[in-house]
Amino acid sequence: MGLFSRVAGATALVGALLLGGMSGALAQVMDKVTVAGWSQPISEITNLLAEPDKGFFKAKGIALDYVPGTGGGSAIQTMLTGKADIAFTDPAALYLALDKGEKLVAIYNIYPQNVFNVVSPKANGIAKPADLKGKRVGVYSLSSGTRQNLAVLLHQVGLSEKDVTIEVTGLLNFAPVIQGQVDATAATDTGLYVARLKGLPEVNVIEVRDSLNLPSDIFVVTEETYRNRKPLLARFLAAYRDSAAWMIANPEEAARLAVTRAINGSDEAVNLGIIKLRNASTVSETTEREGLGAFDPGVMQKGADTFHQLGLIARPLDMGAVVRTDLIPPKQ
């Protein structure tokens, strides 16, 4: 069965007895779209997880499915193996995949703001990227944006991964840095927020955006999917845009729904804090002008150029041939 398979039985003629004596109704034809995520179903993606409650994708004729992952690299790999149609990934993972020869297209800017950081207790004396030399640094996974953004910080000051000891600590896991098993940990704004609620001591925070303000996450598809499924992709992006706009406008409702939809959503107040942070990363000066999902092509090219200059990828990339904006819904 190929990409975007039809939901089984959706085209069958359904006999329905109506009050007016009419019979025979055709069930709505739904196209299945599977998104490969970088994470488990956590509260910051409540706009996707709320689909059973809100029906944003159903309204566009789409049956949404979500496959969890362990980082942006794993999301792309899941898509490339045919287990998903769209990757919810980050620019770093995209650059690395393109450098390996994968034929991919970026179609929507999910979070225009870079939310990655490196956090360490003040007592460790790590206040700037150069201070990381010789230190043990945690990352969510070896295929995650935390690792790639850590590499950006290191290379900006003439260091590489060989100058630190990288430890895999798991998603949103600050226990190792609190317990002293690592000296610092690469994380995101939401991870830091939760860690502070759980008793993280006074810390220094190195923001990656101060070095390179790349988008945190984007939707990526294969060139083949982009060429052959444009109408369906446009419907998917319109539905996603609607879901993101809903969460921005209704963070309290999203926080309530996350209690039952997100694996880390048991505390509604914590959900609200996380959702507000993620809503803030969804907007930028570019999206204010052009609407949610809009790219700044210059930023994406600068990121690719930086990765090449720093030796993170072997060849230059032309992001003008990779970033496509024709499917992004117009500003409302």
Side-chain angles (χ1 to χ4, degrees), residues 133-289:
K133 185 174 183 179
K135 305 298 185 181
R136 299 163 299 165
V137 185
V139 298
Y140 289 172
S141 77
L142 295 181
S143 64
S144 72
T146 54
R147 181 187 181 186
Q148 305 308 332
N149 278 273
L150 171 63
V152 168
L153 282 179
L154 293 172
H155 279 83
Q156 294 283 46
V157 293
L159 301 176
S160 72
E161 289 187 349
K162 295 180 180 179
D163 294 301
V164 300
T165 300
I166 292 180
E167 302 282 354
V168 175
T169 57
L171 179 63
L172 307 179
N173 186 6
F174 273 75
V177 76
I178 293 174
Q179 297 167 3
Q181 297 169 10
V182 294
D183 303 302
T185 195
T188 64
D189 56 351
T190 54
L192 177 58
Y193 170 78
V194 172
R196 281 174 163 154
L197 293 178
K198 292 183 176 180
L200 182 70
E202 194 173 3
V203 293
N204 289 325
V205 181
I206 304 172
E207 299 285 359
V208 178
R209 64 172 173 260
D210 293 337
S211 296
L212 185 62
N213 193 22
L214 274 177
S216 295
D217 287 290
I218 56 180
F219 280 132
V220 170
V221 296
T222 64
E223 284 188 358
E224 180 182 3
T225 297
Y226 172 76
R227 287 194 308 269
N228 298 332
R229 301 290 180 175
K230 284 188 178 184
L232 183 51
L233 290 174
R235 277 193 282 138
F236 171 86
L237 295 183
Y240 183 85
R241 187 272 315 277
D242 290 347
S243 75
W246 161 77
M247 194 161 80
I248 290 171
N250 302 279
E252 292 83 6
E253 182 185 3
R256 289 194 298 272
L257 291 179
V259 171
T260 56
R261 296 301 180 189
I263 63 169
N264 64 336
S266 60
D267 189 320
E268 186 175 325
V270 173
N271 295 342
L272 183 59
I274 290 172
I275 286 167
K276 285 183 175 179
L277 283 171
R278 196 48 65 243
N279 285 345
S281 68
T282 303
V283 298
S284 66
E285 291 183 3
T286 301
T287 66
E288 287 295 320
R289 292 192 310 269

